[in-house]
Amino acid sequence: MAGRRWSRWVVAVPMAALALATVYPMVFTTNVAMKTRREYVLDRFSLTDSLRWDNIASAWTSVGMSRYFLNSTVVVTCSVALLLLFGSMAGFALARLRFRGSSALYLGFLAALFVPFQVIMVPLTRVMADTGLVDTYPGLVLAYVAQFLPFTVFLMTSYYSTVPAEVVDAARIDGNTAFGVYWRIMLPMGVPALISVGVLNALFCWNDVLISLLMMPSAEHRTLMVGVTSLRGQYSDDIPVFASGVLIAAVPVLVVYLFLQRQIADGVSAGATKG
């Protein structure tokens, strides 16, 4: 009995420390965002006396975070929608349709996973500039789709490979075309995986700085994370306002995870347990 209790403590203590290390930055940022500049200079680690929303309101209106938030929302929504559409179609085709070159195409997607963006950012930027897509919403959306599509195709192919072949055969016997099988059967069955992949891609796009900075150089078209990064230079002497910008950027991600954490876990494990 004593050995079992000791083993529990061995696991519980590191997990508690990890949880504290994860939660503390968010708590510290929230506390700083509620302080005045004077309070922060006097003691940055003390707890604020009262909740003050002036810094958040200032970051949202005066600094332009509302515009950055809208830019990120539009770009992330369009990017994730296209990634789920193309990724699910490609995943179904590679998992359940046999055609010449399908194996080579799948290997190409796998190989693309190992190519860092820094390798392709110069030619990508040049192509986008030549086609007039730099500093436009479509340009950034296409850049995100190109960057994260291999990951999406890989996960959707893995998921659809677990669906029994009899399901597809029965749908074809009922008179469905290949697109009919995808639209009526495979797409609804893939909802758990689509939710997981969609949330992960949304986090990738939302937290991105490098691609957005290259594709959206003007201040008007900045995404939220680029806007937060720029605040560090503009408000180096007003850390509470900077912390407010960080808080604005972090809250949507936290809310999405809190509401969809079960769907994320189910989708990630579905490919390994289904079928």
Side-chain angles (χ1 to χ4, degrees):
M1 183 65 68
R4 182 177 300 178
R5 290 180 179 177
W6 175 254
S7 62
R8 289 179 179 177
W9 277 104
V10 170
V11 175
V13 171
M15 291 298 100
L18 181 61
L20 181 62
T22 303
V23 173
Y24 176 74
M26 192 68 181
V27 175
F28 178 77
T29 302
T30 304
N31 184 55
V32 172
M34 297 299 167
K35 290 184 175 184
T36 64
R37 185 188 305 182
R38 181 175 181 275
E39 288 177 337
Y40 178 80
V41 172
L42 292 177
D43 190 351
R44 66 184 64 183
F45 295 106
S46 64
L47 293 177
T48 181
D49 297 333
S50 60
L51 297 179
R52 301 182 182 90
W53 304 97
D54 298 344
N55 294 324
I56 296 179
S58 177
W60 182 257
T61 56
S62 303
V63 180
M65 296 297 289
S66 59
R67 179 63 183 178
Y68 302 153
F69 189 94
L70 177 62
N71 291 339
S72 288
T73 301
V74 171
V75 170
V76 171
T77 301
C78 295
S79 300
V80 171
L82 291 178
L83 284 167
L84 293 182
L85 176 62
F86 296 149
S88 61
M89 293 177 69
F92 164 67
L94 293 173
R96 289 304 171 194
L97 301 181
R98 293 294 176 261
F99 55 91
R100 182 176 299 179
S102 60
S103 298
L105 183 60
Y106 181 65
L107 290 177
F109 279 112
L110 289 181
L113 289 172
F114 298 95
V115 179
F117 177 75
Q118 288 79 359
V119 174
I120 64 172
M121 66 179 183
V122 174
L124 176 63
T125 306
R126 180 63 182 271
V127 170
M128 290 294 183
D130 292 341
T131 54
L133 291 175
V134 172
D135 216 18
T136 64
Y137 288 134
L140 183 55
V141 169
L142 289 176
Y144 281 151
V145 172
Q147 178 66 19
F148 301 122
L149 185 60
F151 169 77
T152 307
V153 171
F154 169 71
L155 288 188
M156 294 309 301
T157 302
S158 300
Y159 180 86
Y160 282 137
S161 296
T162 65
V163 178
E166 292 79 7
V167 174
V168 179
D169 296 337
R172 297 300 294 267
I173 292 173
D174 289 340
N176 287 287
T177 62
F179 182 78
V181 175
Y182 160 76
W183 187 256
R184 297 187 180 93
I185 307 299
M186 302 299 280
L187 189 62
M189 292 183 66
V191 168
L194 288 172
I195 293 176
S196 298
V197 176
V199 172
L200 291 175
N201 280 322
L203 295 179
F204 295 156
C205 297
W206 187 270
N207 293 326
D208 169 71
V209 174
L210 180 58
I211 302 177
S212 177
L213 191 60
L214 292 173
M215 294 294 106
M216 295 288 207
S218 67
E220 180 183 0
H221 293 140
R222 284 174 179 168
T223 57
L224 189 57
M225 285 302 172
V226 177
V228 170
T229 304
S230 66
L231 285 182
R232 187 65 182 90
Q234 298 176 16
Y235 291 87
S236 57
D237 61 338
D238 195 350
I239 300 301
V241 173
F242 171 70
S244 299
V246 173
L247 197 62
I248 292 173
V251 165
V253 176
L254 181 63
V255 170
V256 168
Y257 177 77
L258 289 177
F259 279 95
L260 297 178
Q261 56 181 321
R262 178 173 296 180
Q263 288 82 352
I264 295 172
D266 291 344
V268 170
S269 61
T273 60
K274 197 174 181 66

